[in-house]
Amino acid sequence: TQLLEQSPQFLSIQEGENLTVYCNSSSVFSSLQWYRQEPGEGPVLLVTVVTGGEVKKLKRLTFQFGDARKDSSLHITAAQTGDTGLYLCASDPRGGDKLIFGTGTRLQVFP
Amino acid sequence: SAVISQKPSRDICQRGTSLTIQCQVDSQVTMMFWYRQQPGQSLTLIATANQGSEATYESGFVIDKFPISRPNLTFSTLTVSNMSPEDSSIYLCSVLGPPANEKLFFGSGTQLSVL
């Protein structure tokens, strides 16, 4: 059973466009993390959200944790080619250190 | 932060053979994790390796197939045994890093192809 479902699975857009990636679950999480993975590299942490309703901004990236702590979204404003990569949400459903990763969203930004 | 070196970065192996992947961290860490990433897929946790105890495997993964060593706080190995083409994946080691042990740091991964 996949605990973290991401949508869309694939996204192909032009530079300058906005996009939103979603991470949904039927479980409640104490915290949730977003990672980005580029080809040939391991995932790199972007942000951790902890409080229901929390919004965090990282330059052009806006992360939101749902009020019920079951879902999260990542919004990118004015996408750039450097945003290309695999975006993964992750959490430990047991509230510990063993992260389970979402199904992933593969983003391609064209110039 | 933690810097992780993983070797080999890629390998092509014959079915039935075994490959041992090494993971070296530049600082002492308590928990190390091994993940598998099948082609075009997300990451799946294989096991947690703690120094001084046997690794803890996730559902669907067994010690006979993926033996793990953790001889000290900076090093671990994962062996993929009796390989088949279905084992073709990227294998990643990761650690919970300082300062607050709240984020995972990953190695660059080992791209394994089994013929």
Side-chain angles (χ1 to χ4, degrees):
Chain A
T1 303
Q2 181 56 258
L3 295 177
L4 290 167
E5 295 284 345
Q6 288 184 238
S7 61
Q9 187 177 0
F10 299 99
L11 198 52
S12 181
I13 61 172
Q14 294 288 125
E15 229 176 2
E17 293 185 25
N18 302 331
L19 66 114
T20 302
V21 176
Y22 299 93
C23 174
N24 293 289
S25 172
S26 57
S27 303
V28 176
F29 295 102
S30 57
S31 66
L32 188 137
Q33 298 183 329
W34 283 94
Y35 288 79
R36 179 171 66 211
Q37 183 181 25
E38 298 184 20
E41 299 294 328
V44 175
L45 179 69
L46 296 173
V47 78
T48 301
V49 287
V50 178
T51 305
E54 180 178 8
V55 176
K56 281 191 173 179
K57 292 193 175 184
L58 185 67
K59 296 183 181 178
R60 295 175 294 100
L61 278 60
T62 302
F63 304 85
Q64 184 162 10
F65 203 12
D67 292 340
R69 291 186 286 120
K70 291 183 176 183
D71 57 272
S72 182
S73 64
L74 157 60
H75 182 79
I76 301 179
T77 303
Q80 300 177 356
T81 55
D83 296 326
T84 293
L86 177 65
Y87 288 81
L88 298 158
C89 61
S91 186
D92 185 345
R94 294 154 289 194
D97 298 321
K98 295 184 181 182
L99 284 190
I100 305 301
F101 282 81
T103 49
T105 295
R106 196 166 296 276
L107 171 64
Q108 177 75 56
V109 182
F110 291 96
Chain B
S1 66
V3 178
I4 301 173
S5 300
Q6 203 173 321
K7 291 192 297 187
S9 58
R10 60 177 62 238
D11 207 341
I12 301 173
C13 302
Q14 297 295 321
R15 69 170 68 211
T17 62
S18 298
L19 175 72
T20 296
I21 301 167
Q22 298 180 3
C23 180
Q24 179 75 52
V25 190
D26 69 341
S27 57
Q28 293 186 337
V29 294
T30 303
M31 300 179 78
M32 295 181 77
F33 305 91
W34 287 97
Y35 284 86
R36 180 176 73 184
Q37 187 172 27
Q38 293 176 300
Q41 303 295 317
S42 182
L43 280 69
T44 301
L45 181 62
I46 298 172
T48 303
N50 293 329
Q51 194 263 340
S53 63
E54 281 201 5
T56 304
Y57 290 83
E58 298 299 307
S59 176
F61 298 96
V62 295
I63 188 171
D64 290 345
K65 177 67 175 177
F66 297 101
I68 288 171
S69 78
R70 182 82 201 274
N72 57 54
L73 291 174
T74 63
F75 187 78
S76 178
T77 67
L78 169 76
T79 298
V80 186
S81 302
N82 188 24
M83 288 184 284
S84 67
E86 292 71 36
D87 294 319
S88 297
S89 292
I90 299 172
Y91 292 86
L92 296 141
C93 77
S94 67
V95 304
L96 279 175
N101 284 346
E102 62 181 11
K103 64 187 284 188
L104 280 183
F105 293 89
F106 284 86
S108 297
T110 296
Q111 173 83 60
L112 171 62
S113 297
V114 184
L115 304 180

